[in-house]
Amino acid sequence: MTADAAVLLLVDLQQRLAPAIHRGDRVIDRTARLAEAASLLGVPVLATEQVPDKLGPTVERLAGYPHLVTHKSSFGAEPGGLVPPGRSEVVVTGMEAHVCVLQTTLRLLADGHRVLFVADAVGSRDPDDRSAALDRARAAGAEIVTSEMVLFEWLRDATHPRFREVQKLLK
């Protein structure tokens, strides 16, 4: 995984959905860590919003990061037009893991993208649903990673000019 090939995708991290998610604050914290690092490292940040007139916009803490927000009513986002040209790796975070995050992941995989499903930055209302989503995503070909794994792979080396700034995000 490299910062040059990656995009960070925030799936439906929306104001009215977030309070219902098991450990939702942690999902948002880990996603914010990734979004801040992405900003430092030149990784585009994209977001989807599921029926925003009902579920609200992206949570305030993350709202300033996406370069593009796509509104949708289908549970899985369409890959066409979502991933910029020249980017083949999609680092996926979001809510709910077993519905919109999983269906978007399956569509991205079918479209030929490498998908990295960030285990500590996805959530569902029920932990069992999240667990099943991780299993299914893995079986379909997504790589299950953690936010820290992503950060260090994007950096590659302790001599990276942004190493200290990214390292601070882990505290």
Side-chain angles (χ1 to χ4, degrees):
M1 174 181 9
T2 66
D4 292 339
V7 297
L8 176 63
L9 178 59
L10 286 55
V11 177
D12 305 350
L13 288 149
Q14 292 167 258
Q15 288 178 359
R16 291 190 196 125
L17 182 58
I21 300 300
H22 177 73
R23 299 183 75 186
D25 288 344
R26 182 174 188 248
V27 170
I28 292 167
D29 288 345
R30 297 302 167 92
T31 300
R33 168 195 288 177
L34 286 165
E36 184 62 28
S39 296
L40 291 168
L41 300 173
V43 174
V45 180
L46 313 170
T48 63
E49 292 178 348
Q50 178 73 17
V51 193
D53 56 318
K54 293 184 181 176
L55 295 177
T58 299
V59 295
E60 190 174 325
R61 182 160 179 213
L62 301 172
Y65 290 107
H67 300 97
L68 172 70
V69 177
T70 301
H71 296 170
K72 62 186 183 63
S73 62
S74 65
F75 298 117
E78 284 294 327
L82 189 62
V83 181
R87 302 284 174 156
S88 58
E89 300 171 350
V90 184
V91 177
V92 178
T93 71
M95 300 171 179
E96 285 200 70
H98 66 293
V99 183
C100 294
V101 180
L102 179 63
Q103 288 189 34
T104 297
T105 293
L106 296 174
R107 287 184 176 193
L108 288 164
L109 288 166
D111 203 46
H113 296 284
R114 180 182 181 196
V115 178
L116 301 114
F117 199 94
V118 187
D120 59 333
V122 297
S124 294
R125 288 167 292 148
D126 185 327
D128 291 339
D129 286 330
R130 179 188 167 277
S131 179
L134 291 169
D135 290 343
R136 183 149 182 231
R138 179 184 291 112
E143 298 172 50
I144 308 303
V145 296
T146 66
S147 58
E148 236 181 270
M149 292 165 72
V150 172
L151 298 183
F152 283 105
E153 285 188 46
W154 280 350
L155 286 169
R156 287 268 189 259
D157 194 296
T159 61
H160 190 288
R162 298 281 193 170
F163 175 75
R164 294 266 182 240
E165 291 168 276
V166 172
Q167 186 182 36
K168 286 179 186 175
L169 299 174
L170 298 172
K171 297 179 181 184

